[in-house]
Amino acid sequence: MEPDDIARQLAPKLGDGLLSVEPFPGTAGRVRFRPEKALDLFRSVRDDLHFGHLSMVGGIDWVDHREVFYVAWSDEAKQYVFLSTDVPANAAHIETASSIWPSANWHEREAWEMVDITFDHHPDLRHLLMPDGYTFHPLLRSFKLHEPEELEVKSRRV
Amino acid sequence: MTAPSAQVTAPRPAAEAYRLESELPMATQPGVPFIEIETLRAKEFLPAAREALSSLIAEQGQAKVIRPVFNWAGRNSLFPLHWGLACCAIEFAAAFGGRWDAERFGVVPRSSPRQCDLMIVNGTVTWKVAHKLITLYEQMPEPKWVIAMGNCATGGGPFRTAYSVVPGVDKLVPVDVYIAGCPPRPEAMLDGILKLEELIRERKE
Amino acid sequence: MTHGLWNLRVKIDGEMILDVDPEMGYLHRGIEKISEDRHYNEVITLMDRCCYVAGFSWEHLYILSAEEALGIRPPERAEYLRVLCDEFQRIGSHLMWYAAFVQDIGLMSPFLYGMRDRDLVLDLFQSFTGARMTYEYMRVGGVRNDVPSGFTDQCRKVLNWLTDRFVEYDQLCLGSTIFRERCDGLGLLKAQDCVAHGVTGPMLRSAGVRRDLRKDRPYSAYDRVDFDVAVADGADVTARYLVRMEEMRQSIRILNQVVDWLDRHPGPVLADRLPRWLGAPYAPIGNEGYLLKRNYPKGVGFSAVEEPHGEAQAYTVNDGGEHPYRVKFRSPVFANISAARQYLIGYHVADIPPIMGSVDVCVGEVDR
């Protein structure tokens, strides 16, 4: 499956919700979409393109916006497809994919607690890896780790 | 057959001449208390033994008899808690396999902390598990010991800078022996257990 | 005892399980966050410890994604060496699974046999990497060093020994009435539930779905070796046992081919013309060490490997800095445990050890 095939099948369903389909080595393509049309895109990817298996949902913090990405696999085409969208940092929420692919459930819990992306209508959005009541979101760039204690040889960026 | 030319050994006395075993020529080292053994009849034995033992305990007390026996029993039957946190737990399990048989030291893992006297912390300790680790430690009856196995339990290891990792289990419970390694080989873990046994041998109270 | 720390909260009525809620995170070490402070080759140390029973597979996974992002290809001998590491690691991981699984069921002697044979495989690892479990062997652009002379003969001896041992293992387990009574028909997870919940690996193949990334999306030298995919029907604990045993036999088949190839084709194991900043990022000047900032490339890399537990994926993002901007890993056991409601509800409390044993949990990779 080529990126052009994907664009051709998704464009009628999504209209301007589909931003672009670029080639991504090792996969069928990288689909960039608008977060408002997320549910339509997921339904279309699962039913029309037959990517029935969602493997990974993750978030990346690009300080002024956050990126949510999904990786799905198709048994017929034997390929992955990479879906990604950008949500603004001050309104970081997107519709959950767990009504389309139940495997998204735990991945979205982890993406929320690590990168602070709220998944609307998620059945069970609570902490997965951190203790209950942990208020920070560790994988944000504003969350800094402790520096290791000073050793004898200091290293400095040139 | 001709007789030997010279008598090189003293003539052996007849059996009736032996009265006390303490007259036998025995090599004894200075400083080792030697308890005189007399050959007694059975019904004279018990009162004599009782009197000898109580006089020994009264003189030398706890330190020479009771404490060494308890230490010997304790160090030869250390029961660790049957749990594993991370990678070091795989080497802990390998030490119970056939090649490095840990059970020959009397070390038998038990699942309930109430039956253990040793907790081997083998792996990274996170803040999420800290409360439960302290609870398990408190559920173990006295006397109890803790071995910090591996770099993560000793001081956080490769994950020392992480936000969720306790930098060393000695921030939570008192540790007796630290075993370095990432992960320490099964022989290193057994060496750590033997060091703990030496520590227990020196136990005074 | 080998699985790691996690909490399975079970709602029961007498002995019957009504609901389950797995609670993870007791081994969450922030590997993804720490990797953002590490140079590209330094992340390898964390990948060994991420999943400790399958260290080589996770090293391979990260290295493939870093090589995609940085645009570096390894030499062919390095690719075959990586396949050798992967397949021996698969045997080692499945032997560890076997030892722990049968001990949880109650069979005590196969634990000793499994550990004994696993120690043979770890001896091989130690001969060319120096370590039994945390190898730090693969590098961006190849592997750290070549195998010593005589290594391939040792491999063949171990492979021949293992082939006979699997016959014994099957007699011990499949021939044991207790094992069959306990495990047949237990922990059913049919194919459409597997796919819906993201379950991959031996659990998926035990439900009859012939999916194996080594065949469907070959990486490294897997397109140049000959093997079959192990599939079973039944979708229960016994089927997963059969799949893993068959996978070990297929691994032996792959390894015999790889070992013959390595004998016939000497060559470099690290790509030549690697960028300076990859090999020696820290240049000492006087008493202070400096990190040299060169032109680090921008790029993204996505990789997927068939790890012993299932499909693992990695996504690396480089934005021109000396450390990766973001590394995200997908662990197969993460998805396998998330489907716990499907294969645990309706069984008894005493069925939890065989079922969770057949899932082959390794908490280090779930929590990362």
Side-chain angles (χ1 to χ4, degrees), chain C residues 214-276:
Chain C
R214 298 174 288 168
K215 284 278 196 212
D216 296 335
R217 188 182 183 271
Y219 51 95
S220 257
Y222 279 110
D223 46 358
R224 288 161 263 177
V225 295
D226 200 26
F227 65 102
D228 292 324
V229 175
V231 178
D233 293 314
D236 60 356
V237 172
T238 315
R240 290 169 206 145
Y241 168 89
L242 291 170
V243 165
R244 289 195 178 100
M245 283 295 164
E246 184 58 33
E247 276 185 11
M248 283 203 269
R249 291 191 195 97
Q250 294 301 320
S251 288
I252 293 185
R253 190 170 150 194
I254 298 177
L255 282 165
N256 279 322
Q257 297 167 48
V258 169
V259 158
D260 288 335
W261 189 97
L262 286 174
D263 268 342
R264 293 194 308 264
H265 298 93
V269 293
L270 197 58
D272 53 349
R273 302 181 166 279
L274 281 177
R276 277 280 303 281

Side-chain angles (χ1 to χ4, degrees), chain C residues 43-333:
Chain C
V43 179
I44 283 293
T45 61
L46 300 171
M47 300 322 299
D48 282 318
R49 290 149 179 91
C50 183
C51 178
Y52 30 90
V53 283
F56 273 129
S57 304
W58 279 75
E59 282 189 26
H60 199 175
L61 171 73
Y62 165 72
I63 283 292
L64 282 175
S65 79
E67 287 178 348
E68 286 265 342
L70 299 172
I72 297 175
R73 298 280 333 257
E76 199 180 8
R77 190 174 165 91
E79 294 191 321
Y80 272 87
L81 278 173
R82 287 178 181 174
V83 169
L84 177 110
C85 295
D86 266 2
E87 291 306 312
F88 265 121
Q89 187 71 81
R90 192 177 312 271
I91 295 180
S93 167
H94 284 333
L95 283 172
M96 184 84 239
W97 159 80
Y98 174 77
F101 169 61
V102 297
Q103 197 190 31
D104 284 342
I105 291 182
L107 306 173
M108 292 302 178
S109 30
F111 166 76
L112 296 171
Y113 300 150
M115 298 306 283
R116 170 198 65 190
D117 294 331
R118 181 174 171 265
D119 276 334
L120 293 174
V121 175
L122 295 187
D123 278 346
L124 284 177
F125 288 155
Q126 190 181 325
S127 69
F128 70 95
T129 61
R132 284 160 50 92
M133 262 171 60
T134 47
Y135 325 98
E136 289 151 37
Y137 177 63
M138 299 191 193
R139 296 282 184 270
V140 175
V143 294
R144 179 191 356 145
N145 54 272
D146 206 344
V147 292
S149 62
F151 176 77
T152 44
D153 298 322
Q154 289 291 330
C155 282
R156 288 191 188 97
K157 277 196 211 157
V158 171
L159 293 172
N160 291 336
W161 166 264
L162 285 174
T163 313
D164 300 325
R165 298 283 75 70
F166 294 149
V167 175
E168 227 178 78
Y169 293 169
D170 279 343
Q171 284 169 349
L172 280 172
C173 290
L174 296 177
S176 155
T177 324
I178 298 180
F179 184 90
R180 299 307 297 258
E181 292 272 326
R182 271 199 91 172
C183 296
D184 279 349
L186 208 66
L188 286 171
L189 189 63
K190 294 279 187 336
Q192 57 268 38
D193 287 330
C194 280
V195 171
H197 284 88
V199 172
T200 54
M203 285 190 77
L204 180 64
R205 289 194 280 280
S206 74
V209 178
R210 182 174 300 269
R211 185 194 315 166
D212 189 327
L213 271 183
R214 298 174 288 168
K215 284 278 196 212
D216 296 335
R217 188 182 183 271
Y219 51 95
S220 257
Y222 279 110
D223 46 358
R224 288 161 263 177
V225 295
D226 200 26
F227 65 102
D228 292 324
V229 175
V231 178
D233 293 314
D236 60 356
V237 172
T238 315
R240 290 169 206 145
Y241 168 89
L242 291 170
V243 165
R244 289 195 178 100
M245 283 295 164
E246 184 58 33
E247 276 185 11
M248 283 203 269
R249 291 191 195 97
Q250 294 301 320
S251 288
I252 293 185
R253 190 170 150 194
I254 298 177
L255 282 165
N256 279 322
Q257 297 167 48
V258 169
V259 158
D260 288 335
W261 189 97
L262 286 174
D263 268 342
R264 293 194 308 264
H265 298 93
V269 293
L270 197 58
D272 53 349
R273 302 181 166 279
L274 281 177
R276 277 280 303 281
W277 44 264
L278 202 58
Y282 300 97
I285 302 178
N287 288 331
E288 301 186 6
Y290 289 0
L291 180 65
L292 298 173
K293 192 172 172 61
R294 301 283 192 208
N295 299 326
Y296 297 99
K298 290 188 200 241
V300 295
F302 173 77
S303 64
V305 309
E306 182 75 27
E307 205 229 349
H309 307 284
E311 273 174 32
Q313 290 151 23
Y315 180 55
T316 308
V317 178
N318 304 333
D319 70 333
E322 64 264 13
H323 305 305
Y325 188 82
R326 172 89 165 100
V327 268
K328 166 86 173 87
F329 300 107
R330 185 258 187 192
S331 147
V333 187

Side-chain angles (χ1 to χ4, degrees), chain B residues 82 84-87 90-91 93-94 96 99-100 124 126 128-129 132 158-159 162-164 182-183 185-186, chain C residues 1 4-5 24-31 33-34 38 46 49 52-53 96 115 118-119 123 126 132-134:
Chain B
H82 191 151
L85 286 86
C87 341
I90 308 292
E91 297 291 56
F96 286 90
R99 198 189 274 196
W100 297 282
T124 322
T126 57
K128 192 166 183 177
V129 88
K132 306 204 176 198
F159 308 103
Y163 46 88
S164 56
C182 194
R185 287 183 62 102
Chain C
M1 109 168 118
L5 282 184
M24 320 302 307
Y26 289 99
L27 197 56
H28 177 62
R29 296 170 280 193
I31 287 182
K33 183 76 181 181
I34 299 179
R38 296 277 169 104
L46 300 171
R49 290 149 179 91
Y52 30 90
V53 283
M96 184 84 239
M115 298 306 283
R118 181 174 171 265
D119 276 334
D123 278 346
Q126 190 181 325
R132 284 160 50 92
M133 262 171 60
T134 47

Side-chain angles (χ1 to χ4, degrees), chain A residues 12-13 26 31-32 46 61 65 90 95 114 126 136 151:
Chain A
K13 301 285 176 65
V31 176
R32 292 188 196 271
R46 184 191 65 174
D61 181 39
H65 65 274
N90 50 6
E95 186 71 28
M114 292 287 146
R126 58 189 161 104
F136 300 100
L151 304 172

Side-chain angles (χ1 to χ4, degrees), chain B residues 70-82 92 96 102-110 115-120 140-147 176-177 189-201 203:
Chain B
F70 271 72
N71 284 350
W72 166 85
R75 73 174 184 267
N76 284 316
S77 69
L78 285 168
F79 287 2
L81 186 59
H82 191 151
F92 172 83
F96 286 90
E103 295 199 5
R104 63 191 149 117
F105 297 108
V107 170
V108 178
R110 307 294 300 168
Q115 300 170 357
C116 298
D117 46 9
L118 172 62
M119 183 161 79
I120 300 186
M140 283 162 59
E142 290 281 351
K144 56 191 171 190
W145 298 276
V146 173
I147 291 183
D176 295 290
V177 174
M189 187 192 106
L190 295 178
D191 184 49
I193 291 183
L194 289 176
K195 282 210 160 44
L196 180 64
E197 292 189 7
E198 280 175 28
L199 266 178
I200 299 175
R201 185 194 288 262
R203 224 173 148 231

Side-chain angles (χ1 to χ4, degrees), chain A residues 54-58 69-71 107, chain C residues 302 313 315 328-330:
Chain A
L54 184 76
S55 318
M56 173 154 69
V57 181
F69 63 89
Y70 304 77
V71 177
H107 287 108
Chain C
F302 173 77
Q313 290 151 23
Y315 180 55
K328 166 86 173 87
F329 300 107
R330 185 258 187 192

